Amino acid sequence: MKNLLLRLLLVCAGLAGAFIAPANAAVEININRGNVQPLPIAITDFISADGIGAQISAVVEADLKRSGLFAPVSRAAFIENIQNPDQPPRFEDWKVLKAEALVVGRIVREPDGRLRAEFRLWDTFGGQQMMGQQFFTDPKNWRRVAHMIADAIYERITGEKGYFDTRIVFVSESGPKIDRKRQLAIMDQDGENIRMLTNSNDIVLTPRFSPSRQEITYMSFEGQQPRVFLLQLETGSREVVGNFPGMTFAPRFSPDGQRVIMSLQQDGNANIYTMDLRSRTTTRLTSTAAIDTSPSYSPDGSQIVFESDRGGRQQLYVMGADGSGQRRISFGDGSYSTPVWSPRGDLIAFTKQSGGKFSIGVMKTDGSGERILTTGFHNEGPTWAPNGRVLMFFRQNSGAGGPQLYSIDLSGYNEQQVKTPTFASDPAWSPLMD
């Protein structure tokens, strides 16, 4: 990021002792199994002079617990009071609590005003250190340090990248249902640090992150004219992608961030186009008398999934990035919409309407292996965490009220509400931050 105050520097040396446990370390979570038992982990208050350490460790604990893969041990049960995080703990005191892993740390204010955050991860039953790292940052970014520590612990124990140092852009909805104000908003993945990105009465829809820059694309009905915008998150500057005749729907970036793919409506039907953001030239990929929309690239950019009613109702189709080889992949009961390709490349998430209810599900990229993760009155708009293990979506319950954000993992068991101060819809998950 351009603002150096927001940079967090991972220091690869500086903590005494081994950083990485031997290859036979016993503490691990196999997240590829269907039913994962959460790992008991003890996270102590990080030592600090002003209480910031306890705040940071609390965020680390909340991140890991919310993943559904970790079961933090209650602090009230702790036997040992860690005073020196540089010394090995009394392993027997933690084994009694059945804590298989232990996290200790220290927060120090440097002479230049920065925070130095140090932590160590211990295998309590193996009696060895699994990792140790330290970070430097501006004090105002203490929450981000906590997310980065949680990511490091998650990766060390599961073997896969974490997703805590990320943000969510969404549509914030407020006011009465018949006259609801919709603004773009952004927050940390845990619902903290919310700020508004727009402040007008114009309707905004479908915000999406660039995979390579701190930039989003979205649709706005400014002056009653639907247009696609690019918004720079650091500077707040924005620009129109292009003025197109008719309606524009569901803009989304290509994996390299150099193109935007979208659906343009003309003469009563909608087709899919790409626009090169450098030359601003457009290329038409579909040509049917149907509604083709909600395109999403595969992570390698070679394929595109989209929805189309060319067969009579909304179904999912896949084609090459040049529009070739268009083929239907969904064949279940009901209609399918809002497909999103997983960052891992192995699955496609979707919304399914059947039997008067809306479901969030996933299928393999050839359409096989369909699994429904959650069903309700109105669930819609899945978006992937950057590690491809968790989805966020919005839910509207019957009766009064408005949409709210929820997350769920691929097991379908760890469903949680992501609380926001207003109603919220159309979430989009960022990549891991730089």
Side-chain angles (χ1 to χ4, degrees), residues 316-327:
L316 303 187
Y317 292 77
V318 167
M319 62 182 172
D322 59 357
S324 62
Q326 298 177 24
R327 61 197 183 277

Side-chain angles (χ1 to χ4, degrees), residues 69 87 158 166 176 182 214 229 259 269 290 305 334 378 396 422:
L69 300 177
Q87 297 295 322
T158 69
T166 56
R182 290 174 170 84
Q214 291 299 309
F229 287 87
R259 289 163 289 162
N269 60 311
V305 63
H378 187 179
Q396 171 78 55
T422 65

